[in-house]
Amino acid sequence: MIFLVSFMADKYNHRSEPIQSSIQRSESMKRRAKKYAFDKMGERSVYSFFLGKNWCGWMIALAVLGVQLWVLFVFVIGAEQDLSDDKSDFVFTWKCFRDEEKCSNEADLDATGWIIFGILMTSHLLPDIINGAKMVVLGGKECYDFNQRARFFFGGLLLVTVTAFTLFTSVVYNRAIATSNTEIVTNAVVILFITDLD
């Protein structure tokens, strides 16, 4: 959706430009956009390979992406709430005593832990989501050739996808196993470390 809106807005904004100024603007914008794209993806990030034409770089980037998603999926599987499954890390925190009618929750996790978790997730993942969305918008600019736009779109989409899946995994896993404020922070840091594989 963002891609289409960007494409249509760019087409509308530059509909009456003469061809010569459009070509000059296009070349200058291409250089700036390529530098901008590498800055947003991170020159030291393996995801920057998605912006290039080298197939070997693409294979490396796809392999790292696959490993990240695979490891994150291990955490999702571990968070399943199946107490009969030995592979599940789910922690049941409710205790019920035979001589009492009420059960009590033994978890020490409170709002403080979730606030710290939210701060960690926001500070680490929000820049990647914003930069990925900007890459998708760049993919909608008409001044680039189709291949360059496709690389911008694909790179931005993958960055947003892996970042959103990291957030999902962290929330699901912590809801399943975190029983204290320190555990939720520890789990969040471990999962965020996985996203730094790139």
Side-chain angles (χ1 to χ4, degrees):
M1 184 72 174
I2 294 172
F3 175 79
L4 290 174
V5 169
S6 173
F7 180 76
M8 295 305 288
D10 191 55
K11 194 157 188 82
Y12 179 79
N13 289 337
H14 303 293
R15 70 188 178 284
S16 62
E17 281 187 4
I19 293 177
Q20 186 61 30
S21 72
S22 176
I23 292 171
Q24 289 171 348
R25 181 184 63 87
S26 177
E27 291 303 317
S28 131
M29 280 185 70
K30 282 182 185 179
R31 285 191 300 276
R32 282 193 323 231
K34 192 165 189 172
K35 183 183 179 328
Y36 176 81
F38 275 107
D39 288 345
K40 293 302 165 196
M41 285 291 242
E43 287 186 24
R44 290 181 272 156
S45 171
V46 76
Y47 291 126
S48 65
F49 287 138
F50 287 126
L51 302 177
K53 297 177 182 178
N54 186 341
W55 283 102
C56 183
W58 271 70
M59 291 303 138
I60 291 170
L62 286 172
V64 169
L65 177 71
V67 168
Q68 281 181 319
L69 293 175
W70 174 59
V71 173
L72 289 171
F73 194 68
V74 168
F75 281 92
V76 171
I77 296 294
E80 288 185 359
Q81 297 181 4
D82 185 4
L83 297 177
S84 64
D85 186 6
D86 290 338
K87 294 180 183 176
S88 177
D89 295 336
F90 180 74
V91 176
F92 192 73
T93 59
W94 286 90
K95 302 285 184 199
C96 299
F97 301 100
R98 291 182 185 194
D99 58 341
E100 295 181 19
E101 289 185 24
K102 293 184 180 179
C103 297
S104 63
N105 188 353
E106 301 292 317
D108 295 327
L109 179 62
D110 57 16
T112 303
W114 284 107
I115 290 170
I116 294 170
F117 170 81
I119 291 169
L120 278 173
M121 291 291 121
T122 302
S123 65
H124 190 77
L125 299 179
L126 188 61
D128 285 345
I129 289 179
I130 290 171
N131 292 336
K134 286 180 179 180
M135 295 292 295
V136 170
V137 168
L138 269 179
K141 301 294 181 185
E142 193 177 31
C143 64
Y144 309 113
D145 61 50
F146 176 77
N147 291 332
Q148 186 69 35
R149 288 188 352 219
R151 287 191 295 269
F152 286 154
F153 176 77
F154 191 67
L157 182 66
L158 289 177
L159 185 60
V160 169
T161 301
V162 77
T163 303
F165 190 60
T166 300
L167 178 62
F168 168 78
T169 301
S170 195
V171 169
V172 166
Y173 192 71
N174 277 310
R175 284 186 51 87
I177 75 155
T179 59
S180 69
N181 294 337
T182 54
E183 277 185 18
I184 196 170
V185 171
T186 303
N187 295 338
V189 169
V190 167
I191 292 174
L192 287 175
F193 177 75
I194 293 167
T195 61
D196 284 337
L197 287 175
D198 69 328

